[in-house]
Amino acid sequence: DDSASTEIYTGFPFGISGDDLASRALKQAKRLGAEIVVTRRVEGIDPADLTVRLDGGDVLQTRSIVLAMGVEWRRLEVDSVDRFIGSGVYYGAARSDAGLAQGNDVYLIGAGNSAGQAAIFFSNHARSVTLLVRGESLAASMSHYLIEQISTKANIRVETRSEVVAVHGDEQLEAIEVIDRRTGTTSRRDARALFVLIGAEAATDWLPSEIARDEHGFVLTGTDAMKAGPWKVDREPFALETSAPGIFAVGDIRSGSVKRVAASVGEGGVAIALVHRYLQLSSPWPISPIPPLRRLSPPRAQTL
């Protein structure tokens, strides 16, 4: 979670950054015995035998799989913008980006809660923060409490019906061009930091066809999955189960999910309960604690 601040998660009355929340969750998972595998990429899943193939050819044998990949930031469609990624153009915003904003004129593209939270956070570090909004106002896409907070910040400016149409610089972003759709005029602004928060999309093309998705690529679960996919089991799928028996989906990647931290945490807990119910159905014997993942192929000499 790269949110600059999560304000409405129960138990944190003054909010908590996405970085801090994720760090605490990682420490808690390790303390409870979870095996954390990093610097590896999942390249495929075989629903028939519930195996997971990693980069390099290693295969993990599982008894159930939970998909919790989240989503990827939607990209800005402006010529040459990709060459400035990490050098003035950033997707998402986190507290660790405060140094990029310190004393600078910061520009943010977006009109959702993530953009509002980032604007408020950066206003405490930047000389000015300009929120560029394609629509007529923030009211349709941003929570009222954030709009009120933005209105109290003297160094936050909201420009509606505005879009970035060009970026300039050598190795580092130096300027952007912004068009005012009301007048059709374009202005050039000096800019060293442009944060893009224009929504997210599912990156699920790598999933097998047995896992049904909606028209936007989000994973279907429950009765929606049974209707859309080749459900071949003599029972209805569990609420968070995909069209592939034994494979579950939670969080933002799931079709119809509520884009809130509390909802994702709740779904995670429910999914694990459903995994245990699935394991009980698939085994005639009492379910013992799940052992560490067993590798079917010899592991490579690599630090995880």
Side-chain angles (χ1 to χ4, degrees):
D1 188 340
D2 60 2
S3 297
S5 178
T6 295
E7 300 285 348
I8 52 175
Y9 186 35
T10 303
F12 298 93
F14 302 106
I16 183 172
S17 73
D19 289 341
D20 288 343
L21 186 60
S23 177
R24 294 185 187 195
L26 179 61
K27 292 176 181 177
Q28 188 173 18
K30 288 181 176 179
R31 182 178 65 83
L32 295 174
E35 181 182 3
I36 310 297
V37 180
V38 298
T39 71
R40 302 299 298 273
R41 183 178 65 253
V42 175
E43 293 189 339
I45 292 173
D46 187 338
D49 56 11
L50 292 176
T51 55
V52 177
R53 187 178 73 256
L54 302 181
D55 58 316
D58 288 345
V59 178
L60 307 180
Q61 177 69 61
T62 76
R63 284 151 61 181
S64 181
I65 298 170
V66 178
L67 304 176
M69 304 97 69
V71 290
E72 293 185 355
W73 284 107
R74 190 171 290 122
R75 297 287 171 168
L76 186 64
E77 296 183 0
V78 174
D79 290 343
S80 301
V81 71
D82 286 351
R83 68 190 182 96
F84 294 118
I85 294 176
S87 299
V89 175
Y90 309 93
Y91 286 93
R95 286 184 179 270
S96 56
D97 295 325
L100 299 171
Q102 195 67 45
N104 291 323
D105 296 316
V106 173
Y107 289 83
L108 296 104
I109 303 176
N113 283 356
S114 293
Q117 291 164 353
I120 293 167
F121 170 71
F122 286 139
S123 70
N124 297 320
H125 303 274
R127 180 169 58 184
S128 71
V129 176
T130 302
L131 196 56
L132 301 172
V133 179
R134 187 172 58 178
E136 294 285 350
S137 71
L138 295 173
S141 53
M142 188 178 294
S143 297
H144 181 67
Y145 80 93
L146 287 172
I147 296 175
E148 285 191 330
Q149 288 185 42
I150 288 173
S151 68
T152 66
K153 297 287 187 176
N155 63 337
I156 298 181
R157 183 172 63 253
V158 179
E159 297 185 17
T160 57
R161 294 294 306 277
S162 298
E163 298 178 51
V164 173
V165 293
V167 292
H168 302 282
D170 293 326
E171 296 182 357
Q172 172 76 31
L173 178 69
E174 297 175 3
I176 61 175
E177 290 184 29
V178 179
I179 187 170
D180 183 334
R181 293 297 184 187
R182 289 190 181 87
T183 63
T185 59
T186 301
S187 59
R188 183 179 174 121
R189 324 277 184 89
D190 291 337
R192 297 284 179 170
L194 174 66
F195 293 89
V196 184
L197 303 101
I198 54 176
E201 54 192 8
T204 55
D205 291 344
W206 63 277
L207 289 175
S209 59
E210 291 90 337
I211 299 177
R213 283 146 276 174
D214 65 17
E215 64 272 21
H216 301 295
F218 293 90
V219 178
L220 295 167
T221 55
T223 55
D224 291 335
M226 183 173 64
K227 294 174 183 177
W231 186 253
K232 300 178 181 179
V233 181
D234 189 21
R235 63 171 175 84
E236 290 191 359
F238 293 116
L240 298 177
E241 194 171 16
T242 70
S243 55
I247 300 179
F248 299 78
V250 297
D252 288 352
I253 198 62
R254 189 178 69 81
S255 179
S257 67
V258 178
K259 303 299 188 287
R260 293 292 184 271
V261 174
S264 294
V265 172
E267 284 189 5
V270 171
I272 298 306
L274 296 179
V275 164
H276 281 278
R277 289 180 61 185
Y278 165 77
L279 294 177
Q280 290 170 350
L281 286 177
S282 60
S283 173
W285 307 104
I287 300 300
S288 58
I290 299 176
L293 295 176
R294 180 169 61 88
R295 292 175 172 80
L296 297 184
S297 58
R300 295 176 296 151
Q302 178 174 347
T303 301
L304 300 181

